[in-house]
């Protein structure tokens, strides 16, 4: 960060996220954070009393961003009327992958998923966000059912199907991000902010994703 730029709590949090993405949360030190900001380590204490306080604030920041993130488009009913179920769900998968590739959501997703094993607050955020994905998938299913693009579904049945879909989606996304983490370890000169532009791109295996999505949609029509 240029010396002329003012250090703020948000900039510190973004530095925490970037360092945690590259080195893990446990491997991130105050020296790592200050180096990314271009300031002395002692200067961090003007904003936070401890490293733990920074991590806690980072978790709060992640929760705020995830709270504003929506999996389905606002016009889901119109989308369901216009497209077949296969196109809708392939579009949702593509939308989620593209959203997650972008900072800060990429770093936030990895940070929270890692911290859920060590922080009850992070675990709660992961559960709440998963519940939101489920709820929005239920809405998509009910919209498709109302548009007669799939079999008629009541809400409990839609929730059961949504659980299958969200678990599949999370597994596919986790596998993709693991692949991206391997790439960044192999290219240490790049940071996560340049991960998707500075090194050769390998798209998600959409052929396999599309096959699984088609099979899922077949279940919806029985």
């Amino acid at each position: 960060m240029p010396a002329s730029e003012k250090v703020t709590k948000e900039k510190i949090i973004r530095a925490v996220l970037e360092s945690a993405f590259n080195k893990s949360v446990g491997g991130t030190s105050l020296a790592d954070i200050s180096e990314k900001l271009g300031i002395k380590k002692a200067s961090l204490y003007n904003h936070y009393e401890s490293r733990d306080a920074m991590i806690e604030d980072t978790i709060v920041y992640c929760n705020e961003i995830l709270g504003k993130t929506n999996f389905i488009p606002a016009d889901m009913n119109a989308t369901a009327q216009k497209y077949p179920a296969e196109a809708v769900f392939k579009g949702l998968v593509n939308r989620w992958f593209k959203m997650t590739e972008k900072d800060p959501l990429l770093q936030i997703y990895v940070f929270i998923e890692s911290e859920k094993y060590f922080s009850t607050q992070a675990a709660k955020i992961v559960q709440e966000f998963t519940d939101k994905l489920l709820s929005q998938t239920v809405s998509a299913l009910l919209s498709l059912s109302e548009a007669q693009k799939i079999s008629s579904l009541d809400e409990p049945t839609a929730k059961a199907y949504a659980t299958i879909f969200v678990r599949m989606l999370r597994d596919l996304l986790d596998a993709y991000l693991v692949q991206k983490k391997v790439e960044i370890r192999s290219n240490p000169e790049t940071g996560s902010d340049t991960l998707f532009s500075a090194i050769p791109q390998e798209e998600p295996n959409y052929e396999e994703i599309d096959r699984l999505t088609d099979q899922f949609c077949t279940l919806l029509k029985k």
Side-chain angles (χ1 to χ4, degrees):
M1 188 180 74
S4 59
E5 288 191 19
K6 181 180 178 181
V7 175
T8 63
K9 284 193 172 184
E10 182 171 358
K11 288 176 181 177
I12 293 172
I13 288 170
R14 292 297 293 270
V16 171
L17 287 171
E18 185 178 347
S19 182
F21 183 89
N22 295 328
K23 302 181 66 175
S24 81
V25 180
T28 294
S29 66
L30 293 178
D32 294 322
I33 298 166
S34 61
E35 181 180 355
K36 288 188 179 299
L37 293 167
I39 61 175
K40 294 181 179 180
K41 185 169 67 174
S43 299
L44 292 172
Y45 291 105
N46 293 328
H47 303 273
Y48 289 102
E49 62 182 17
S50 67
R51 178 186 176 280
D52 287 345
M54 289 181 206
I55 299 300
E56 289 174 6
D57 235 16
T58 302
I59 291 173
V60 172
Y61 176 84
C62 291
N63 190 35
E64 291 173 353
I65 298 296
L66 289 175
K68 300 173 185 176
T69 303
N70 290 310
F71 173 58
I72 62 174
D75 57 345
M76 191 65 243
N77 287 333
T79 300
Q81 290 286 344
K82 187 174 181 180
Y83 299 104
E86 292 83 357
V88 170
F89 276 99
K90 288 175 184 177
L92 290 178
V93 172
N94 183 275
R95 171 188 173 92
W96 184 232
F97 271 73
K98 295 302 182 186
M99 287 172 64
T100 310
E101 282 185 353
K102 298 176 181 178
D103 288 338
L105 198 57
L106 167 69
Q107 297 170 336
I108 286 172
Y109 185 89
V110 173
F111 180 91
I112 289 296
E113 286 291 328
S114 299
E115 276 298 280
K116 70 182 179 184
Y117 299 104
F118 307 101
S119 164
T120 55
Q121 182 62 19
K124 181 181 178 183
I125 291 169
V126 169
Q127 186 57 58
E128 289 176 347
F129 188 65
T130 301
D131 290 344
K132 184 164 80 167
L133 288 178
L134 281 167
S135 175
Q136 294 188 355
T137 303
V138 168
S139 295
L141 286 166
L142 293 177
S143 293
L144 286 165
S145 177
E146 185 176 347
Q148 299 183 339
K149 300 297 179 70
I150 58 175
S151 299
S152 179
L153 299 176
D154 57 19
E155 190 158 344
T157 305
K159 186 173 181 179
Y161 280 124
T163 300
I164 295 171
F165 180 78
V166 169
R167 287 181 178 175
M168 180 183 76
L169 178 68
R170 286 174 60 86
D171 284 347
L172 291 169
L173 180 61
D174 285 345
Y176 179 51
L177 291 181
V178 167
Q179 169 191 321
K180 288 300 179 185
K181 288 284 284 182
V182 169
E183 288 180 11
I184 204 170
R185 289 191 191 102
S186 302
N187 297 267
E189 68 281 1
T190 67
S192 63
D193 55 334
T194 59
L195 177 59
F196 297 100
S197 59
I199 59 179
Q201 289 292 300
E202 184 174 345
E203 287 294 315
N205 185 358
Y206 281 118
E207 183 177 340
E208 175 66 7
I209 293 170
D210 286 350
R211 183 184 68 80
L212 291 171
T213 304
D214 284 337
Q215 290 181 343
F216 173 74
C217 290
T218 298
L219 294 174
L220 299 176
K221 296 179 180 180
K222 291 184 177 180

